């Protein structure tokens, strides 16, 4: 496979980054913002009472770069290098394999291994992407991978949700122990799974029935229950499971646990045959008296006991086990949807330029050209929301208006809409498996459903902007 053998280094990840002190958004692509047009019209200040003339403020001419400007939409060199590197892998390795693995509905282990060999899949790669202080690199990587193919992209990036669960709730020691095991090695890659949803608890995570009971005599936790819709469920090396410790406290009585490799009592249930993302493994997970060491409680028991005590006293919670993970991951999920949407738009654009009807290219018709213009505009709008939320999350800026949910909601709905438009532009060809847009449409649909449906995202946003417990 003709790809680069090493990942580009981030020698100066802060170069070109937005300054958190300015409140600038993270949208770092598209070029520097032009100076205000009023700068070219600056006039000297009128004479003051003493008969002297105040000096006019020096303002750059229109179109002239201001070296002191703090807001930028230009990707730095490291970001562009990584973007180009991942795009090359997506174009040269992922896309040629996409249709095959979609039909097979199997985990594309050879592609994952190829990604691991070049340094794209692994703990070190994810740490490098996250190290970017602008928060954009992880979003860029996901967009490019999913531009290649949604199913294979999820097979490669699906472990990152388990990583996010460990990162959001674990101690530094737990992160160091378990995150690398979610990936394995280049010679023998592994995957991780994050298990939250249940047959009767999807959007309502407060209704989880999976129970975790502490066996003090043996310093072990005993887990029982069933998880549904788990990416990599049952085939993962490491499972991160959210379970209820105190059901009376509902969501506030939940905690996250790591299930080590080979633990007895964890079994894979039915593998789900899905509408899209078929190259990504999804299955139920059963926990039957699954015993794990006490150290596998993410965050530790002391921290859990303190949190449960505050909940029983009625003290307001800072975050919930599942929600803390989703808050971190939503902009990244939005970036994945962006990649699928962009792939469909670009394919439809090329097709419209080449397809001829009634003696001219179909793009010469306003009905087609305007649809493509709308697709491009909506995709770019969604990207700005994703980049803003990515920057905010990386720099610990609070999502006071549910900006993370905004990014995932907009990107997911744009992906479904744009891929449907692409099918319409291709006409009958778009409806067949001979062309990739029908697969892109199938892959896109899940982005209005998982990690919070569109309706749940709107609920989160509405509660954030109103300050009311809207139901």
């Amino acid at each position: 496979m003709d790809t680069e053998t090493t990942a580009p280094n981030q020698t100066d990840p802060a170069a070109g980054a937005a300054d958190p002190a300015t409140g600038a958004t993270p949208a770092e692509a598209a070029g520097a913002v032009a100076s205000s047009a009023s700068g070219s019209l600056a006039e000297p200040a009128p004479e003051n009472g003493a008969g002297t003339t105040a000096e006019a403020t020096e303002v750059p001419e229109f179109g002239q770069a201001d070296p002191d400007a703090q807001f930028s939409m230009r990707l730095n060199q490291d970001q562009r290098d990584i973007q180009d590197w991942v795009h090359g892998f997506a174009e040269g390795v992922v896309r040629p394999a996409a249709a095959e693995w979609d039909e097979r509905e199997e985990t594309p282990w050879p592609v994952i291994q190829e990604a691991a060999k070049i340094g794209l899949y692994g703990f070190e790669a994810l740490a490098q992407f996250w190290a970017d202080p602008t928060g954009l690199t992880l979003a860029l990587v996901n967009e490019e991978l999913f531009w290649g193919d949604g199913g294979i992209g999820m097979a490669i990036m699906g472990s990152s949700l388990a990583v996010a669960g460990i990162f959001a709730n674990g101690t530094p020691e737990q992160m160091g122990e378990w995150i690398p095991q979610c990936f394995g090695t280049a010679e023998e890659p592994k995957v991780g799974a994050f298990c939250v949803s249940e047959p009767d608890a999807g959007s309502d995570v407060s209704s989880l029935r999976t129970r975790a009971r502490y066996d003090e005599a043996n310093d072990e936790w005993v887990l029982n229950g069933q998880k549904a819709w788990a990416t990599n469920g049952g085939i993962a090396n490491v499972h991160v499971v959210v379970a209820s410790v105190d059901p009376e406290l509902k969501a506030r009585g939940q905690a996250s646990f790591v299930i080590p490799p080979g633990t007895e009592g964890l079994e894979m249930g039915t593998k789900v045959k899905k509408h899209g993302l078929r190259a990504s493994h999804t299955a139920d997970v059963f926990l039957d008296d699954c015993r794990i060491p006490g150290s596998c409680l993410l965050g530790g028991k002391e921290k859990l006991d303190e949190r449960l005590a505050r909940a029983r006293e009625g003290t307001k919670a800072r975050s919930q086990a599942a929600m803390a993970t989703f808050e971190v991951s939503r902009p990244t999920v939005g970036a994945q949807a962006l990649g699928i949407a962009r792939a469909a738009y670009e394919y439809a654009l090329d097709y419209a330029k080449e397809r001829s009807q009634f003696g001219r290219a179909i793009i010469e018709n306003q009905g087609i050209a305007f649809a493509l213009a709308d697709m491009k505009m909506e995709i770019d709008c969604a990207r700005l929301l994703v980049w803003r939320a990515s920057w905010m999350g990386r720099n610990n800026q609070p999502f006071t208006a549910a900006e993370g949910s905004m990014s995932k909601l907009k990107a997911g709905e744009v992906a479904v809409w744009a891929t449907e438009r692409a099918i319409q532009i291709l006409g009958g060809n778009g409806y067949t498996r001979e062309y990739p847009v029908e697969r892109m449409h199938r892959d896109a649909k899940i982005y209005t459903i998982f990690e919070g449906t569109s309706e749940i995202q709107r609920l989160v946003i509405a509660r954030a902007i109103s300050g009311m417990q809207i139901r």
Side-chain angles (χ1 to χ4, degrees):
M1 298 182 181
D2 185 19
T3 60
E4 296 183 28
T5 58
T6 58
N9 292 321
Q10 286 191 315
T11 56
D12 183 13
D19 184 350
T22 67
T25 66
E28 305 269 320
V33 177
S35 303
S36 171
S38 62
S40 61
L41 303 177
E43 297 289 346
E47 293 185 356
N48 60 23
T52 60
T53 303
E55 291 183 2
T57 302
E58 185 177 342
V59 179
E61 294 292 330
F62 176 69
Q64 177 183 347
D66 182 352
D68 296 324
Q70 297 296 311
F71 178 82
S72 173
M73 296 183 69
R74 187 186 303 277
L75 294 177
N76 64 44
Q77 189 60 51
D78 289 324
Q79 292 165 336
R80 291 195 296 271
D81 287 345
I82 290 177
Q83 184 182 47
D84 292 344
W85 172 59
V86 179
H87 183 84
F89 180 81
E91 186 174 40
V93 179
V94 174
R95 279 202 167 181
E100 174 190 351
W101 291 101
D102 178 72
E103 290 289 341
R104 291 174 62 170
E105 297 191 49
E106 297 175 359
T107 300
W109 288 109
V111 182
I112 297 175
Q113 187 169 39
E114 188 69 17
K117 285 180 179 179
I118 67 168
L120 179 55
Y121 181 79
F123 168 64
E124 293 82 2
L126 193 62
Q128 181 187 21
F129 304 152
W130 179 254
D132 179 1
T134 71
L136 296 189
T137 297
L138 188 58
L140 294 171
V141 168
N142 276 271
E143 180 176 340
E144 295 306 323
L145 268 180
F146 283 72
W147 173 89
D149 178 63
I152 294 178
M154 185 58 72
I156 293 173
M157 297 303 297
S159 298
S160 62
L161 194 56
V163 171
I166 298 170
F167 181 82
N169 300 289
T171 65
E173 294 75 19
Q174 290 171 328
M175 295 178 202
E177 179 179 4
W178 297 113
I179 290 179
Q181 294 190 52
C182 291
F183 298 102
T185 64
E187 294 72 27
E188 191 177 358
K190 305 289 186 181
V191 293
F194 184 62
C195 308
V196 180
S197 295
E198 298 180 359
D200 296 318
S203 298
D204 183 10
V205 295
S206 65
S207 299
L208 296 183
R209 294 184 179 180
T210 299
R211 299 289 184 259
R213 176 180 58 81
Y214 183 58
D215 180 354
E216 189 171 0
N218 295 301
D219 187 26
E220 291 180 333
W221 287 92
V222 184
L223 278 69
N224 285 280
Q226 177 183 355
K227 293 297 181 179
W229 301 101
T231 298
N232 297 328
I235 67 169
N237 194 45
V238 173
H239 291 75
V240 178
V241 175
V242 179
S244 178
V245 178
D246 187 339
E248 293 184 0
L249 297 176
K250 296 188 176 180
R252 297 189 65 182
Q254 297 169 0
S256 293
F257 301 85
V258 168
I259 312 298
T263 301
E264 294 185 3
L266 184 149
E267 293 185 2
M268 186 180 84
T270 304
K271 179 183 175 181
V272 181
K273 297 182 72 66
K274 305 191 299 294
H275 177 66
L277 298 186
R278 293 178 176 179
S280 171
H281 176 95
T282 307
D284 289 354
V285 173
F286 289 94
L287 300 159
D288 185 10
D289 284 337
C290 181
R291 286 182 169 270
I292 57 175
S295 60
C296 289
L297 166 64
L298 289 175
K301 192 169 187 305
E302 182 178 349
K303 183 178 178 181
L304 173 64
D305 290 341
E306 292 175 356
R307 181 159 57 84
L308 294 178
R310 289 196 301 269
R312 293 178 184 118
E313 293 169 358
T315 306
K316 187 176 181 180
R318 286 174 290 182
S319 65
Q320 299 165 3
M323 291 299 101
T325 303
F326 293 143
E327 287 167 5
V328 171
S329 64
R330 274 174 180 154
T332 302
V333 173
Q336 296 170 1
L338 269 177
I340 298 171
R342 195 185 101 215
Y345 156 74
E346 290 177 359
Y347 195 94
L349 177 63
D350 290 342
Y351 182 92
K353 290 178 179 179
E354 296 172 3
R355 174 71 169 171
S356 178
Q357 289 288 281
F358 304 105
R360 61 182 179 182
I362 63 174
I363 197 172
E364 295 181 35
N365 299 299
Q366 286 187 358
I368 301 296
F370 286 5
L372 288 161
D374 285 343
M375 289 165 71
K376 173 63 172 173
M377 177 180 64
E378 290 295 324
I379 290 168
D380 283 3
C381 288
R383 184 179 293 109
L384 291 174
L385 288 174
V386 167
W387 285 8
R388 178 181 69 172
S390 298
W391 177 86
M392 292 178 71
R394 178 63 180 84
N395 289 280
N396 296 316
Q397 300 296 310
F399 291 157
T400 56
E403 289 86 353
S405 289
M406 286 185 189
S407 68
K408 193 267 183 182
L409 171 63
K410 181 64 175 178
E413 295 199 340
V414 165
V416 174
W417 172 82
T419 52
E420 192 276 334
R421 287 289 86 200
I423 291 175
Q424 192 70 22
I425 289 170
L426 269 67
N429 287 334
Y431 196 67
T432 71
R433 294 193 179 183
E434 298 299 315
Y435 292 80
V437 291
E438 67 83 27
R439 183 178 72 247
M440 295 171 185
H441 185 55
R442 288 189 284 107
D443 290 346
K445 181 55 192 169
I446 193 63
Y447 287 89
T448 63
I449 299 173
F450 75 170
E451 283 216 51
T453 64
S454 289
E455 292 76 17
I456 289 295
Q457 305 301 340
R458 286 185 168 87
L459 180 64
V460 172
I461 297 166
R463 287 176 174 176
I465 63 176
S466 68
M468 300 173 64
Q469 192 67 11
I470 296 171
R471 300 186 180 277

